[in-house]
Amino acid sequence: MLKKLSLVAVSMLALSACQDEASSGGSGDARNELRIVGSSTVFPFAKLVAEKYQASGENIKAPVLESTGTGGGLERFCEGIGSNTPDIANASRRIKKKEYDKCQANGVTDIIEIQVGIDGIALAQSISGPDYKLTVKDVYTALAANPFGKPQNNTKWSDINPALPDIAISVYGPPKTSGTRDAFHELIMEAGCTTDPAMKALKDSDKEKYEETCTEIRNDTVFQEQGENDNLIVGKLSANPNSMGVFGYSYMEENADKVRGISIDGIVPTYDSIAAGGYPGARPLFIYVKKQHIGKIPGIQEFITEFVESGVAGSYLAKIGLIASPDDVRAQSNAAVTDLVTIDGSDLK
């Protein structure tokens, strides 16, 4: 009987230690400020929400935000629980199944997914640059490593379409760790690739070859990665008016005095065209929250509530480019915040 009671006592101590880990990190280093990592696209929205949250009461410490890119942020988010790990990960795409599985393996078992709004993958240019009007096929053909499975020999836009300017193809874009890069692959590159029926058929017959052909970007100087700082791309476009940049619509909106959106398939990236789903690059934005940290690290509930409540048309977030989610999605986000609903990963890819 004594042995059985001892085992129960040990189990209770282990449970208590696990619960305290979020606030102490297992080493007594409790903290009382939020730690947020992830997407450079979501960063300016999260930063403004953080400022509003901090101003909402006395003695609230400013959240610590890092713009690491979606992939880099989720990697750190999934390292485990405890005060030495982030509480929230910003993401410009959904968490991947392999990322979710890594979280589970490392003890991050209760993840709340919240869609905070919509953004667009904008192709933009300097306001002093030539007038480009492109299709998803044009963009894919210009940037694919092997467009439609053939060697990449295009150096000028006019090589792709004689109606386009006789100007060298030059595009600044995000690195592979960026959620914007992932969304660009899916929404623009794949859409252009599958204009060819043979590529559509390849998706069913050889998925690996399909992904390589449809999403791999050429690795010469035509496409230049610019890190996770989208403002750097804006600066490059101002200095190189013949070039294009790939980044979130919000950055284009924020820098409307320097850059403008490029028409794709006859649609210019605007708040209305993205909100209506007409613009090819429209994509949802997310935050991922460790439920295990709520109640251990102060302020998480308040921060995510502020984020969701401010993701509406006409809000302070809308003024810097965040596009409101449809009503049904907003209802789901509100439920996730109120009821702390977690995801089970069954529908992730």
Side-chain angles (χ1 to χ4, degrees):
M1 179 66 175
L2 181 61
K3 183 176 180 181
K4 183 175 181 181
L5 287 173
S6 297
L7 287 173
V8 170
V10 170
S11 297
M12 292 299 291
L13 285 171
L15 177 60
S16 176
C18 182
Q19 290 173 334
D20 289 343
E21 189 176 353
S23 57
S24 71
S27 58
D29 56 337
R31 59 175 167 86
N32 57 3
E33 79 281 351
L34 300 179
R35 299 281 176 86
I36 305 167
V37 295
S39 165
S40 62
T41 300
V42 181
F43 178 85
F45 306 127
K47 182 173 182 292
L48 196 50
V49 171
E51 291 170 359
K52 293 287 185 180
Y53 155 74
Q54 188 187 9
S56 66
E58 295 182 3
N59 302 319
I60 297 179
K61 294 192 70 173
V64 176
L65 283 85
E66 294 182 67
S67 178
T68 61
T70 297
L74 285 169
E75 182 175 356
R76 288 175 57 183
F77 179 84
C78 291
E79 286 176 351
I81 61 169
S83 66
N84 59 335
T85 66
D87 309 303
I88 296 171
N90 300 325
S92 54
R93 58 160 171 79
R94 284 199 83 190
I95 189 172
K96 296 178 180 178
K97 184 64 165 63
K98 63 182 180 181
E99 293 166 334
Y100 175 85
D101 289 343
K102 179 181 177 181
C103 268
Q104 299 295 303
N106 290 339
V108 186
T109 53
D110 298 322
I111 303 170
I112 302 168
E113 177 186 77
I114 304 167
Q115 182 175 325
V116 293
I118 301 172
D119 188 35
I121 305 296
L123 259 73
Q125 62 179 138
S126 166
I127 56 175
S128 62
D131 186 22
Y132 293 103
K133 289 183 174 62
L134 303 175
T135 65
V136 289
K137 182 179 180 181
D138 293 333
V139 178
Y140 167 75
T141 306
L143 297 182
N146 299 103
F148 306 111
K150 300 174 183 177
Q152 176 57 273
N153 297 317
N154 301 298
T155 60
K156 297 180 179 181
W157 288 106
S158 54
D159 293 339
I160 296 165
N161 182 342
L164 294 174
D166 188 29
I167 293 173
I169 303 167
S170 173
V171 180
Y172 300 109
K176 293 178 181 178
T177 54
S178 169
T180 297
R181 175 76 167 257
D182 290 332
F184 180 68
H185 287 170
E186 179 182 352
L187 300 173
I188 305 296
M189 294 291 286
E190 282 194 54
C193 182
T194 53
T195 57
D196 182 348
M199 294 298 103
K200 280 187 176 181
L202 184 63
K203 186 174 185 178
D204 295 326
S205 63
D206 191 337
K207 187 174 182 180
E208 185 175 340
K209 182 67 175 177
Y210 166 82
E211 290 183 356
E212 178 184 326
T213 305
C214 289
T215 66
E216 187 174 333
I217 292 179
R218 59 197 297 174
N219 59 7
D220 54 16
T221 57
V222 167
F223 186 90
Q224 299 182 46
E225 295 183 4
Q226 299 299 303
E228 296 290 354
N229 186 351
D230 289 346
N231 285 317
L232 182 61
I233 298 179
V234 173
K236 288 289 183 74
L237 295 181
S238 296
N240 301 278
N242 286 342
S243 297
M244 298 180 189
V246 178
F247 45 78
Y249 163 78
S250 57
Y251 278 92
M252 190 192 77
E253 180 76 3
E254 185 180 338
N255 294 278
D257 59 328
K258 302 182 185 73
V259 297
R260 65 185 177 214
I262 293 172
S263 168
I264 299 180
D265 289 346
I267 303 172
V268 176
T270 65
Y271 185 103
D272 290 339
S273 68
I274 295 169
Y279 181 70
R283 50 126 179 219
L285 302 178
F286 300 91
I287 57 174
Y288 290 92
V289 184
K290 288 178 183 172
K291 185 175 180 179
Q292 290 146 291
H293 280 199
I294 295 176
K296 305 298 180 182
I297 304 297
I300 297 176
Q301 182 81 57
E302 292 80 2
F303 178 86
I304 62 178
T305 299
E306 174 67 25
F307 213 145
V308 170
E309 289 182 350
S310 303
V312 296
S315 70
Y316 63 86
L317 293 181
K319 290 178 181 177
I320 62 168
L322 185 68
I323 295 164
S325 300
D327 289 344
D328 60 334
V329 175
R330 280 190 48 74
Q332 291 176 9
S333 297
N334 283 321
V337 169
T338 303
D339 302 329
L340 304 181
V341 179
T342 60
I343 57 174
D344 63 12
S346 60
D347 62 340
L348 298 175
K349 299 177 181 178

